[in-house]
């Protein structure tokens, strides 16, 4: 029997507190197909897939003390033509309360999701099933595969679990407030504008270059981004340089086995102090490589999970009514998740599909939605040999992405740029 | 294909300038392709919404100016009654109906019902005072307004801010409408004749019951309920 309501996991609690009239943490995954999209087939695919994913078929409601999810039985979500300004806020009582959206444009199919319902890994599982169903609707034979969740099967209870609660231990990770990081902001665009710049390149070429430095693809891209931000801050000649810190979400499923399709991630803070001197790319790659190796260990990650869960289970906080709790959570988010970071860099990795789907998908794209301030976030995803890196933000400046992509070009990696910026079209 | 002379990146064939450094594309061998669709749509999804606060200010200004103008006009066009009071009262009542939901985005339905009923009650009181009819106000108008407010309050509490299914909501609205109309006839009979002689309200009540029974059956039987949901796209 379908659950009547779901408790929010601790990441969702924070994301729901941020949801306002003009802002909501919304991200987007897109698949660029080999042929133009058939909207009717896509709608049928969405309708067929959605019952298999009850955690995406929800709406968010406000209780006296906490928000909660309940099944959304309203019509939808309906696929619609894509827009130039993606990742718009999700508002109360609009769009039939759906927290996911589907768009199509030429060959591109896009899924947008409110971060409170799922992280990138869960959303990609859902998207993979929708794409498989879409191809089946188009008459392409996509046999069942372990990579795909069968839309005809009932959902597994484990897919709905709050994995944070399951793995939270007793000892929390002690830590003090982190230093304020370089904000990397620029004048804000008019409301609803999200400038998106994508760089398309060969995944093999980047991997080869990264290997030459003894690093993985993610470590290499992280170091290039750090260098771009360090150089940008230095070029701005501030009176005192601030640390450049990246938020790097880590998919916890690799360390703590879980089938959950809800949020199950942790954010690493990778910080460089520019006052210590000039960093070369090699220094940064070495730093990122060892930092990742040191930070990604089960006991520490478990202690971090416990700390986050303990925050939402704090007795004092639990007793505070929701209308008072929201500003407290919102301020906490700014204090611990906005102020100490310059940008977010996420790489969900390689999007894997069954071999039968591969000829029909040209590439994958990811957009990390808008930040709470006008600064770009960076995200990357690979499919086949195409690595796609996106910078998206509500600021007018394109300097961060310019420095990042031109650095890659100087490293000998050919990059193709596409953008939704009005001046580019 | 074109490359940015400044950044060295390859550009889309439809790009008129480099998205990174804004250097215009000038490639005599391959002019900018203005016929192919660009990589991203150009249609914006939504225009900035009118601020609810600004809308509330606009409504307040409109109603306020109507009230003030009529008040001033009444000073010139004098009659035996202060006619502008009706307009000023109506403007006040409309303001209570419209402004609080705009200023308070999640105004609870029961509170809105109480505010609206109070506004209607005060407006009718104003009319009663102006025409010297406090008797009918106290014995008929006030009880009707109170009955209406109670009905609305109970209904809004039971509907629970849209948490009930459409079928249950329709059943509740029909039931409460029947009950309110029966109460209306009771109050008017008591005021006019001193005794209750139910007539037309009985017809309304029977129609309401006749509508309620199939709705309750559909609501209770899961198979029927799903069929109705599917057919009416609920």
């Amino acid at each position: 029997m379908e659950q009547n309501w779901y408790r929010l996991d601790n990441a969702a609690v924070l994301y729901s507190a941020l949801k306002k009239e003009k802002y909501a943490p919304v991200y987007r995954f897109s698949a660029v197909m080999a042929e133009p999209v058939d909207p009717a087939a896509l709608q049928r695919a969405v309708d067929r897939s959605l019952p298999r994913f009850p955690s995406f078929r929800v709406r968010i409601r406000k209780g006296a003390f906490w928000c909660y999810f309940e099944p959304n039985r309203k019509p939808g979500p309906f696929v619609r033509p894509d827009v130039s300004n993606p990742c718009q806020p999700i508002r109360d009582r609009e769009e039939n309360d759906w927290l996911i959206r589907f768009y199509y444009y030429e060959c591109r199919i896009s899924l947008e999701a409110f971060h409170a319902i799922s992280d990138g890994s869960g959303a990609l599982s859902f998207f993979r099933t929708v794409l498989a169903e879409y191809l089946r609707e188009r008459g392409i034979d996509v046999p069942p595969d372990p990579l795909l969740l069968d839309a005809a099967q009932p959902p597994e209870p484990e897919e709905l679990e709050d994995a944070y609660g399951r793995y939270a231990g007793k000892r929390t990770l002690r830590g003090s407030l982190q230093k304020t990081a370089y904000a990397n902001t620029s004048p804000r665009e008019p409301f609803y504008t999200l400038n998106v710049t994508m760089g398309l390149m060969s995944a093999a070429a980047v991997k080869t270059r990264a290997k030459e430095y003894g690093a993985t693809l993610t470590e290499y891209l992280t170091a290039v981004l750090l260098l771009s931000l360090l150089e940008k801050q230095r070029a701005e000649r501030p009176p005192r340089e601030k640390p450049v810190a990246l938020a790097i979400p880590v998919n916890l499923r690799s360390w703590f086995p879980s089938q959950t399709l809800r949020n199950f991630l942790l954010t690493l803070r990778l910080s460089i102090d520019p006052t210590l001197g000039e960093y070369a790319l090699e220094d940064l790659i070495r730093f990122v490589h060892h930092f990742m190796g040191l930070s990604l260990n089960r006991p520490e990650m478990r202690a971090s999970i416990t700390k986050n869960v303990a925050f939402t289970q704090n007795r004092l906080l639990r007793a505070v009514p929701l209308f008072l709790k929201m500003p407290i959570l919102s301020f906490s988010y700014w204090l611990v998740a906005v102020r100490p970071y310059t940008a977010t860099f996420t790489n969900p990795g390689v999007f894997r599909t069954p071999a039968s789907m591969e000829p029909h998908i040209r590439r994958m794209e990811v957009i990390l939605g808008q930040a709470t301030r006008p600064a770009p976030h960076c995200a990357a995803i690979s499919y086949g040999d195409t690595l796609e890196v996106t910078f998206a933000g509500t600021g007018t400046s394109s300097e961060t992405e310019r420095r990042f992509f031109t650095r890659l070009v100087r490293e000998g990696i050919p990059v193709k740029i596409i953008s939704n910026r009005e001046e580019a079209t | 294909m074109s490359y940015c002379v400044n950044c060295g990146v390859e550009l889309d064939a439809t790009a008129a300038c480099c998205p990174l450094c804004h250097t215009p594309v000038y490639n005599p061998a391959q002019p900018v392709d203005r016929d192919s669709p660009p990589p991203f749509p150009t249609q914006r999804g939504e225009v900035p919404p009118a601020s609810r606060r600004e809308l509330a200010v606009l409504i307040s200004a409109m109603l306020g100016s109507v009230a003030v103008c009529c008040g001033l006009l009444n000073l010139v066009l004098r009659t035996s009654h202060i006619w502008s009071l009706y307009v000023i009262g109506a403007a006040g009542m409309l303001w209570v109906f419209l402004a609080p939901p705009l200023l308070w985005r999640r105004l609870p339905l029961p509170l809105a019902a109480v505010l609206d009923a109070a506004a209607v009650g005060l407006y009718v009181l104003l009319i009663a005072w102006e025409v010297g009819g406090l008797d009918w106000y106290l014995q008929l108008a006030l009880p009707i307004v109170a009955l209406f407010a109670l009905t609305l309050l109970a209904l809004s509490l039971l509907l629970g801010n849209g948490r009930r299914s459409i079928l249950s909501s329709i059943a509740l609205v029909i039931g409460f409408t029947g009950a309110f109309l029966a109460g209306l006839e009771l109050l008017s009979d008591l005021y006019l004749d001193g005794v209750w002689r139910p007539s037309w309200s009985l017809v309304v009540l029977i129609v309401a019951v006749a509508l309620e029974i199939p709705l309750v059956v559909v609501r209770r039987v899961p198979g029927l309920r799903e069929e109705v949901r599917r057919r009416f796209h609920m």
Side-chain angles (χ1 to χ4, degrees):
Chain A
M1 193 181 154
E2 192 173 39
Q3 247 177 282
N4 282 329
W5 66 284
Y6 306 92
R7 212 183 282 272
L8 269 63
D9 56 66
N10 68 286
V13 166
L14 276 178
Y15 291 132
S16 61
L18 300 178
K19 190 163 92 67
K20 295 185 180 71
E21 186 84 2
K22 291 191 174 184
Y23 175 79
V26 175
Y27 56 83
R28 165 187 281 225
F29 285 110
S30 305
V32 178
M33 313 301 286
E35 288 179 14
V37 177
D38 173 359
L42 178 60
Q43 183 65 63
R44 289 196 297 274
V46 171
D47 293 343
R48 276 172 64 89
S49 308
L50 209 50
R52 174 68 181 77
F53 295 88
S55 57
F56 287 83
R57 218 181 56 210
V58 292
R59 58 180 177 166
I60 194 161
R61 305 302 304 248
K62 287 190 170 73
F65 295 95
W66 296 101
C67 291
Y68 61 94
F69 289 130
E70 66 176 23
N72 190 352
R73 297 191 174 90
K74 292 184 182 176
F78 298 115
V79 303
R80 49 189 145 167
D82 204 354
V83 292
S84 64
N85 44 330
C87 301
Q88 293 166 24
I90 283 179
R91 297 209 180 95
D92 289 339
R93 293 170 198 190
E94 281 188 14
E95 303 174 41
N96 276 348
D97 294 336
W98 285 100
L99 304 176
I100 54 172
R101 303 179 182 127
F102 280 94
Y103 291 100
Y104 62 90
Y105 173 71
E106 299 291 330
C107 297
R108 184 186 285 124
I109 296 174
S110 302
L111 159 70
E112 284 184 0
F114 178 38
H115 213 325
I117 56 173
S118 179
D119 58 11
S121 173
L124 281 174
S125 289
F126 173 47
F127 198 33
R128 193 182 289 117
T129 301
V130 172
L131 291 175
E133 288 299 325
Y134 170 73
L135 290 175
R136 283 172 186 152
E137 289 288 340
R138 297 278 292 156
I140 293 153
D141 182 31
V142 180
D145 190 281
L147 284 170
L148 295 173
L149 291 176
D150 189 350
Q153 295 296 315
E156 298 286 337
E158 292 80 24
E159 290 164 9
L160 294 169
E161 75 166 348
D162 176 3
Y164 290 112
R166 180 173 156 201
Y167 284 107
K170 285 180 182 165
R171 294 291 302 273
T172 62
L173 193 67
R174 287 188 184 178
S176 52
L177 271 185
Q178 307 281 5
K179 280 185 183 173
T180 304
Y182 165 54
N184 190 29
T185 52
S186 61
R188 199 183 279 275
E189 290 276 16
F191 180 49
Y192 272 130
T193 307
L194 183 71
N195 286 323
V196 177
T197 304
M198 291 181 178
L200 308 172
M201 58 206 92
S202 157
V206 182
K207 259 186 209 162
T208 309
R209 194 77 183 117
K211 256 193 187 153
E212 286 168 19
Y213 288 106
T216 64
L217 184 144
T218 304
E219 289 164 359
Y220 175 70
L221 291 178
T222 308
V224 173
L225 179 59
L226 273 174
L227 185 63
S228 309
L229 291 165
L230 285 166
E231 287 176 348
K232 182 170 181 276
Q233 181 178 208
R234 188 141 293 173
E236 287 168 4
R237 296 182 174 279
R240 224 182 79 212
E241 287 185 316
K242 288 181 181 166
V244 168
L246 291 182
I248 301 177
V250 175
N251 180 5
L252 290 171
R253 292 167 186 83
S254 313
W255 282 269
F256 302 94
S258 172
Q259 288 183 50
T260 188
L261 295 174
R262 296 168 67 185
N263 283 300
F264 194 37
L265 54 88
L266 202 63
T267 303
L268 294 183
R269 182 175 185 269
L270 202 159
S271 173
I272 295 286
D273 186 353
T275 57
L276 301 179
E278 292 271 350
Y279 283 85
L281 183 60
E282 291 82 353
D283 300 327
L284 291 171
I285 290 173
R286 225 177 356 259
F287 178 83
V288 173
H289 178 72
H290 293 298
F291 175 84
M292 294 280 198
L294 277 172
S295 308
L296 297 176
N297 65 78
R298 278 173 57 93
E300 254 186 53
M301 287 197 282
R302 193 187 184 105
S304 290
I305 295 172
T306 311
K307 186 181 171 186
N308 294 343
V309 170
F311 177 71
T312 49
Q313 289 187 345
N314 180 297
R315 283 187 187 178
L316 192 67
L317 190 69
R318 283 164 73 174
V320 175
L322 187 68
F323 72 95
L324 290 175
K325 198 177 283 165
M326 286 299 201
I328 297 171
L329 288 170
S330 195
F331 176 72
S332 309
Y333 184 83
W334 175 82
L335 202 64
V336 302
V338 177
R339 188 188 57 90
Y341 294 100
T342 306
T344 299
F345 174 64
T346 182
N347 179 13
V350 181
F351 181 69
R352 297 192 192 284
T353 56
S356 53
M357 290 172 70
E358 282 171 9
H360 308 284
I361 301 174
R362 286 216 310 263
R363 67 166 187 268
M364 290 296 294
E365 296 171 350
V366 56
I367 299 176
L368 202 55
Q370 56 171 305
T372 49
R373 57 188 178 195
H377 278 330
C378 183
I381 192 166
S382 311
Y383 186 73
D385 185 38
T386 306
L387 168 67
E388 186 274 328
V389 182
T390 304
F391 283 83
T394 51
T396 50
S397 170
S398 56
E399 187 60 14
T400 311
E401 41 269 50
R402 190 189 70 76
R403 286 179 181 274
F404 179 85
F405 290 122
T406 51
R407 168 65 63 176
L408 289 179
V409 170
R410 271 184 279 157
E411 285 278 302
I413 299 163
V415 179
K416 181 179 179 180
I417 298 291
I418 53 174
S419 174
N420 73 341
R421 282 183 182 264
E422 278 179 15
E423 64 270 18
T425 51
Chain B
M1 62 185 79
S2 295
Y3 286 83
C4 173
V5 292
N6 200 29
C7 306
V9 294
E10 184 190 335
L11 301 173
D12 190 70
T14 59
C17 71
C18 171
L20 300 178
C21 66
H22 316 300
T23 304
V25 173
Y26 178 68
N27 183 353
Q30 190 185 358
V32 176
D33 181 358
R34 301 199 186 274
D35 298 327
S36 303
F40 292 93
T42 49
Q43 288 290 318
R44 284 175 69 80
E46 210 166 335
V47 292
S51 157
R52 297 166 70 89
R53 189 178 290 270
E54 284 165 15
L55 196 59
V57 169
L58 177 69
I59 286 171
S60 306
M62 282 167 64
L63 293 174
S65 65
V66 166
V68 170
C69 289
C70 286
L72 290 173
L73 207 58
N74 200 174
L75 293 176
V76 182
L77 304 172
R78 285 171 186 274
T79 57
S80 57
H81 290 287
I82 313 171
W83 58 268
S84 64
L85 273 183
Y86 300 121
V87 183
I88 293 167
M93 186 175 67
L94 279 175
W95 188 88
V96 173
F97 286 175
L98 300 172
L102 290 170
L103 292 170
W104 190 354
R105 185 166 163 82
R106 293 182 193 92
L107 182 68
L109 210 53
L111 184 57
V114 169
L115 278 176
D116 292 352
V120 174
L122 282 172
Y123 182 52
V124 180
L125 174 64
L126 187 73
I127 295 169
W129 174 76
E130 218 291 315
V131 297
L134 280 178
D135 279 347
W136 66 258
Y137 175 75
L138 291 173
Q139 290 173 34
L140 184 65
L142 191 61
I144 289 174
V145 171
L147 176 67
F148 184 69
L150 280 173
T151 309
L152 212 58
L153 193 63
L155 195 57
S156 61
L157 285 172
L158 283 170
L159 288 177
N161 276 340
R163 280 178 210 172
R164 289 200 181 266
S165 70
I166 293 178
L167 284 174
S168 304
S169 303
I170 293 172
L172 280 170
V173 169
I174 291 172
F176 274 85
T177 307
F180 169 70
L181 290 174
L184 187 67
E185 193 181 32
L186 166 73
L187 289 170
S188 57
D189 279 358
L190 287 178
Y191 176 70
L192 293 171
D193 307 325
V195 282
W196 183 32
R197 293 199 188 88
S199 57
W200 58 267
S201 68
L202 273 181
V203 178
V204 176
L205 270 178
I206 286 165
V207 170
V209 170
L211 287 170
E212 289 273 2
I213 290 169
L215 280 172
V216 171
V217 171
V218 170
R219 181 75 187 84
R220 293 270 168 196
V221 181
L224 279 174
R225 194 170 64 226
E226 287 311 311
E227 186 66 20
V228 168
R229 276 193 181 137
R230 200 162 44 241
R231 289 196 183 261
F232 290 93
H233 219 76
M234 285 154 75

